């Protein structure tokens, strides 16, 4: 993970100024240029935009960490033999099947 990769997908929330507006955006560096993935909104003051970007980055990081923890927990439980049992095989309901004679009849 590089210094600026704040999220699991390698993107990060930041502020970019265009004209008099400070835009809060999630961007990713790709092939030497920056790709805008999401735009949260525009602000008149840099401080307000930076606060929004920080909150969005925190929420994204929290979501990414929880997702990884859940995956690690399930892996650890499986390795300890405490994972969920495999699903039961699906058996057809015999009452809904046609009689065997009908299945073997070449005219049907």
């Amino acid at each position: 993970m590089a210094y600026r990769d704040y999220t699991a997908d390698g993107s990060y929330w930041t502020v970019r100024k265009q004209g008099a507006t400070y835009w809060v955006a999630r961007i990713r560096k790709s092939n030497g240029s920056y790709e805008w993935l999401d735009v949260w909104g525009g602000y008149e003051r840099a401080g307000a935009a930076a606060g929004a970007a920080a909150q969005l980055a925190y929420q994204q990081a929290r979501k990414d960490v929880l997702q990884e923890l859940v995956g690690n927990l399930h892996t650890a439980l499986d390795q300890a033999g405490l994972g969920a049992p495999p699903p039961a095989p699906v058996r057809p309901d015999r009452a809904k099947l046609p009689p065997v004679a009908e299945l073997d009849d070449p005219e049907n």
Side-chain angles (χ1 to χ4, degrees):
M1 181 189 293
Y3 170 71
R4 295 198 132 203
D5 297 344
Y6 299 124
T7 60
D9 68 355
S11 64
Y12 60 97
W13 288 98
T14 188
V15 177
R16 293 290 187 257
K17 184 176 182 186
Q18 288 183 340
T21 305
Y22 295 92
W23 292 99
V24 176
R26 188 169 63 92
I27 63 175
R28 176 178 29 214
K29 190 170 186 177
S30 167
N31 298 327
S33 63
Y34 291 95
E35 174 186 9
W36 287 45
L37 303 174
D38 290 318
V39 176
W40 173 256
Y43 293 83
E44 292 179 4
R45 296 183 332 209
Q55 182 65 27
L56 289 164
Y58 171 78
Q59 292 298 329
Q60 184 68 46
R62 186 175 184 277
K63 178 183 160 212
D64 291 346
V65 166
L66 286 174
Q67 214 168 21
E68 188 166 336
L69 285 173
V70 167
N72 290 342
L73 174 63
H74 286 294
T75 300
L77 288 172
D78 287 342
Q79 289 172 347
L82 299 172
V90 178
R91 296 191 176 114
D93 184 0
R94 292 193 178 272
K96 295 180 182 178
L97 292 176
V100 175
E102 288 180 27
L103 292 175
D104 293 336
D105 186 4
E107 293 180 15
N108 283 340

